[in-house]
Amino acid sequence: MIHSVYIHIPFCKHICSYCDFCKVLYDSSLADAYLDQLVLEVKEKYQHEEIRTIYIGGGTPSSLTLAQLQRLFTIIDSFQLAADCEITIEANFDSLTEEKIAYLSQKVNRISLGVETISSKLQSVIDRVELQTDIRKKISLLRQYQINNINLDIMYALPGETLADVEADVDFLLSLDVPHISAYSLILEDHTLLSLQKPKLISEELDEKMYRLIETKLEKAGYHHYEVSNYAKPGSYACHNLVYWTNQYYYGFGVGAASYLPGKRITNSRSLTKYLQGIKDYEQEIITNQDAIEYEIIVGLRLASGIDKQAFMKRYQIPLSACYAYQSLVEKGLLEETKNHVLVTKSYQYVLNEVILQFLDTKIANKCLE
Ligand code: SF4
């Protein structure tokens, strides 16, 4: 069954130099036309399941005007929402006015904002401006309006970044005392403005030091490093993201959005022109049982708790150990196995992708998986 929805809002007031997301500069009439198409897409695809998590991402959803946000939430209101449905919206500090916060406080129960870095030297590298005073003011306003479930993103391994810069960013986040923090290492995507500038990247050794510094400081402050890039205070895990990491189904609406449905993954075209014209251009990937099992491994090992063996057995009617001979990796110390879980050993989480590849290599030829 499908219980989760992702909605993509591709508009931004400013384009950051490293950004590879599906986005365009905000334009009021384009945004109105986009919302018209979004209504049609939801009507066409949504099968009236109970929805337990919604994530409104982008782009920058808060770049919409108040009237456009109100239209967006008429779409959200058309879903059959579970009483405790987690509704997250992404925002940036600049476009988040008090008027929008007051409205969103009636409509969402979680918000995710990008700080990225407070260093002005590094902000100029990624072409962003986030003022510490504005960040503090907006966080305080969100709390005044009872939006307490706040995620802040930071980015590290930026060209020219030092350990002291990372420490200053983390200290700043800690001073805000939010329940959830995401920390991403910069990935230089080919066709972005930043990659064209050919910046000198930091060394892998420094990248690892930054990863471990962030982990040490956040864990010391009471955050649980529950997913390779995500930290939460107790009880504040991101329910929608857990849907991805436990390989559950979800709808994706909007330009470039992907839906994971039983037996298939459907990804809308990234062309806004086609989307606005109502042209149904998408890629469909058939997901076999073996594909689903591989995704389960790839996403499940991202979690500190790892893969739930009982849930795996229930879903695929076969034990994990009958699909993969991963014991050799347990013996090497790359994995740990408990009664119910198989997980990547903490010291190897930094090289997670390498461990995942080695895990997949232990596949056992098995008729059940064909
Ligand atoms: S605000 Fe976010 S989506 Fe928009 S350009 Fe910057 S990084 Fe990309």
Side-chain angles (χ1 to χ4, degrees), residues 84-98:
D84 58 351
C85 182
E86 179 193 84
I87 305 180
T88 305
I89 190 164
E90 283 182 353
N92 73 2
F93 291 98
D94 186 39
S95 58
L96 199 59
T97 59
E98 180 165 1

Side-chain angles (χ1 to χ4, degrees), residues 10-24 58-60 90 92 116 127-128 155:
F11 302 103
C12 294
K13 287 273 166 79
H14 168 82
I15 302 296
C16 311
S17 65
Y18 61 92
C19 181
D20 183 42
F21 298 127
C22 183
K23 82 288 168 188
V24 291
T60 312
E90 283 182 353
N92 73 2
E116 313 315 349
D127 210 1
R128 282 183 75 107
M155 194 173 273

Side-chain angles (χ1 to χ4, degrees), residues 272-330:
L272 184 63
T273 309
K274 285 183 181 171
Y275 191 81
L276 292 180
Q277 289 170 351
I279 297 172
K280 294 182 182 63
D281 185 16
Y282 57 84
E283 279 179 20
Q284 178 164 309
E285 180 192 0
I286 299 299
I287 308 289
T288 64
N289 208 34
Q290 175 62 38
D291 294 334
I293 286 174
E294 281 188 12
Y295 287 133
E296 191 99 13
I297 309 297
I298 292 167
V299 291
L301 289 178
R302 295 184 64 90
L303 288 171
S305 58
I307 301 163
D308 181 328
K309 290 188 285 184
Q310 283 178 7
F312 185 96
M313 176 73 195
K314 197 169 161 202
R315 191 162 187 191
Y316 300 104
Q317 302 294 305
I318 184 169
L320 180 63
S321 57
C323 303
Y324 293 91
Y326 57 81
Q327 273 303 327
S328 56
L329 303 183
V330 176

Side-chain angles (χ1 to χ4, degrees), residues 9 33 38 62 73 103 121 130 153 173 198 211-212 240 244 274 308 315 328 342:
I9 303 295
L38 209 49
S62 60
F73 279 92
Y103 176 70
K121 164 193 81 177
E130 307 291 352
D153 285 349
L173 291 196
K198 300 198 187 326
Y211 172 92
R212 300 214 184 273
H240 184 83
Y244 301 143
K274 285 183 181 171
D308 181 328
R315 191 162 187 191
S328 56
V342 177

Side-chain angles (χ1 to χ4, degrees), residues 346-358:
K346 194 169 175 59
S347 58
Y348 283 96
Q349 282 169 358
Y350 176 72
V351 286
L352 175 69
N353 290 341
E354 176 56 30
V355 180
I356 289 172
L357 287 175
Q358 290 198 37

